[in-house]
Amino acid sequence: MTNQNFMKRRFHTVDGDTIMNKQMPPLQYAIAEILPAGLTLFSGDSKVGKSMMALNMCVAVSKGEDFLGFPTTRGTVLYLALEDTESRIQRRVFSMTDTLGDTFHFTNEVYKIGDGLIEALEDFVKEHSDTRLIVIDVLQYIRSQSQGGNVYKEDYNDMIPLHEFTQRHSDIALVLINHTNKSNSGDQFKASSGSTAIVGASDNYWLLQRPVRAFRNGRLYCSGREISDREIALQ
């Protein structure tokens, strides 16, 4: 290799004194204790109630009201309900509240990772600087076309742009709704559809379970890099 073709690489490091003394901004939460800023994967079986819970969460944050008994940080919300129509969203919202202001935004337009999605999210955040929560329902709709290669690598490559988006916007919680595998080992944190790269690339993980769909009780499992593991009983 000639000197002309050789590009010198170097790390830009942070030393111990600097990292210990630097004033860092506090971690932001869309929902206290359970939903910090960053990338959260929210999984559950089909028709278990993920979309209703996600919509309820969006309404709560947009109004600054408690969600599951936890305080929220009021701000603009973007809900990408990619499987729903406006009429269905309206009916569901009416079952939750009588009023909904301009801090709640809904769309069912589909952009793919690597084909306009990140640009559209950046544009929305630029127009709404107080954005606190973005929910994408469901993850599969925004996935890039599989090339039939290494599944783990393809899953991780899809997650990287989403994770980088949250790193650029440290006050926004981005929640990805995902289905669960039809068969899993019984470990709730291996239940999410796709390879382990999808869970591994996320900062936090939620799993909604109902033992019998006809019953109204269920459980929400929460785990993550910035939150304590917990199990929340739902009624």
Side-chain angles (χ1 to χ4, degrees):
M1 181 180 293
T2 67
N3 290 335
Q4 289 181 335
N5 294 329
F6 178 74
M7 182 181 295
K8 184 178 180 180
R9 303 287 186 179
R10 67 184 297 270
F11 290 111
H12 298 278
T13 64
V14 180
D15 62 70
D17 285 339
T18 300
I19 198 69
M20 293 298 289
N21 293 295
K22 187 175 182 179
Q23 294 296 314
M24 301 289 189
L27 179 63
Q28 302 295 311
Y29 282 81
I31 305 172
E33 300 185 44
I34 62 172
L35 186 61
L39 185 61
T40 296
L41 186 69
F42 179 17
S43 297
D45 290 343
S46 178
K47 304 299 187 294
V48 77
K50 300 184 302 297
S51 293
M52 283 293 287
M53 178 173 282
L55 178 58
N56 200 336
M57 175 171 60
C58 289
V59 170
V61 172
S62 73
K63 301 178 72 173
E65 298 177 345
D66 287 1
F67 175 75
L68 301 182
F70 298 94
T72 64
T73 300
R74 186 177 185 273
T76 292
V77 169
L78 173 61
Y79 181 37
L80 281 70
L82 306 180
E83 294 182 317
D84 289 321
T85 61
E86 286 190 27
S87 60
R88 182 180 299 149
I89 292 296
Q90 184 189 62
R91 288 194 299 272
R92 289 179 170 180
V93 167
F94 272 130
S95 73
M96 300 173 187
T97 183
D98 295 327
T99 60
L100 197 59
D102 60 4
T103 52
F104 177 92
H105 292 259
F106 151 80
T107 184
N108 54 16
E109 292 181 87
V110 180
Y111 294 104
K112 300 288 187 179
I113 297 170
D115 189 21
L117 174 68
I118 300 301
E119 292 82 356
L121 293 179
E122 293 284 3
D123 185 62
F124 181 87
V125 170
K126 184 177 180 180
E127 292 182 5
H128 303 88
S129 59
D130 65 335
T131 301
R132 293 293 173 266
L133 174 63
I134 298 174
V135 175
I136 299 178
D137 186 3
V138 291
L139 172 62
Q140 191 58 38
Y141 268 67
I142 63 168
R143 296 289 306 273
S144 56
Q145 185 68 34
S146 173
Q147 301 301 312
N150 185 299
V151 175
Y152 184 95
K153 183 178 180 180
E154 288 187 354
D155 286 350
Y156 211 94
N157 286 342
D158 273 350
M159 296 295 285
I160 287 174
L162 299 169
H163 194 267
E164 290 177 342
F165 172 82
T166 62
Q167 289 180 317
R168 290 192 297 272
H169 302 283
S170 58
D171 53 354
I172 295 176
L174 174 58
V175 178
L176 307 175
I177 309 296
N178 195 30
H179 296 303
T180 51
N181 293 314
K182 296 301 181 182
S183 59
N184 59 72
S185 64
D187 182 343
Q188 55 259 39
F189 298 110
K190 294 181 180 178
S192 186
S193 180
S195 73
T196 55
I198 294 180
V199 176
S202 302
D203 298 307
N204 311 291
Y205 181 60
W206 286 12
L207 176 66
L208 178 63
Q209 289 186 328
R210 268 196 301 174
V212 181
R213 285 196 180 93
F215 293 172
R216 297 181 64 85
N217 62 305
R219 293 191 176 277
L220 179 67
Y221 300 90
C222 305
S223 183
R225 298 187 176 107
E226 302 287 357
I227 59 177
S228 301
D229 292 357
R230 67 173 69 229
E231 181 180 328
I232 303 171
L234 306 175
Q235 182 67 44

